[in-house]
Amino acid sequence: MAGAALMLAALPGAVAAQDGEKLDCVALSVPDDTRDSIGDAMAGGGDEASREALFKQLASITDACVVRHGITAEQKGPYFDYGLARISREWLAKDIAKLDLSPAIVDKALDFGPAGANPDLSTDMTEEQIMKIVQAYVEAGVDIDKVDGTVWEKVGAYAAATSIYWNKRKLLAP
């Protein structure tokens, strides 16, 4: 009886570990150079043909993870989007951090996170959302007049990727 109780108590942890493996599969299966290329592409780099080749490579990796983790046909699209958003988000976070801008400021300004509002930015950001980000950086001591336009584009791409990341992750939760 005690053994059964211990097994039941351990079950949520085991399920969470499996969910972690499922959610990590694509990101951990992508080679570093491909990850960098995907991040750069999502920040506007490369041409259409190179982006298409990257997406095909990512789709192949995603398909292998779908099979490995028994992801349903209904979840395959959100799973691909989640993997793409996660890779892009992580790359963009590192890239804007190198430019002395904290991605955590964007997360807080737009309420991203496991318990956050996670607004849907899969289309466009509103003027209000853009101003929240800018104001948060001002409050953090960033001289926004010295931030280049291409850097702001990366901040916007980070916000969009983070939105997709959290919203698709929610769809994939058990």
Side-chain angles (χ1 to χ4, degrees), residues 38-96:
I38 290 171
D40 184 52
M42 297 311 289
D47 59 21
E48 188 65 32
S50 64
R51 282 191 291 272
E52 190 64 34
L54 283 171
F55 291 144
K56 285 182 181 178
Q57 184 178 4
L58 183 61
S60 176
I61 291 168
T62 301
D63 287 346
C65 290
V66 163
V67 171
R68 184 176 320 141
H69 295 287
I71 294 169
T72 66
E74 298 81 36
Q75 288 183 317
K76 186 176 176 182
Y79 189 67
F80 175 87
D81 293 344
Y82 169 81
L84 177 60
R86 178 174 171 176
I87 292 166
S88 302
R89 176 181 186 266
E90 290 171 359
W91 186 89
L92 287 158
K94 288 178 189 173
D95 199 54
I96 63 175

Side-chain angles (χ1 to χ4, degrees), residues 141-164:
V142 173
D143 184 350
I144 61 166
D145 293 328
K146 293 184 179 178
V147 178
D148 183 82
T150 58
V151 175
W152 285 121
E153 288 175 17
K154 288 181 179 181
V155 170
Y158 171 80
T162 301
S163 167
I164 295 165

Side-chain angles (χ1 to χ4, degrees), residues 7 19-20 54 83 121 138 152:
M7 285 179 57
D19 286 340
L54 283 171
L121 304 180
V138 167
W152 285 121

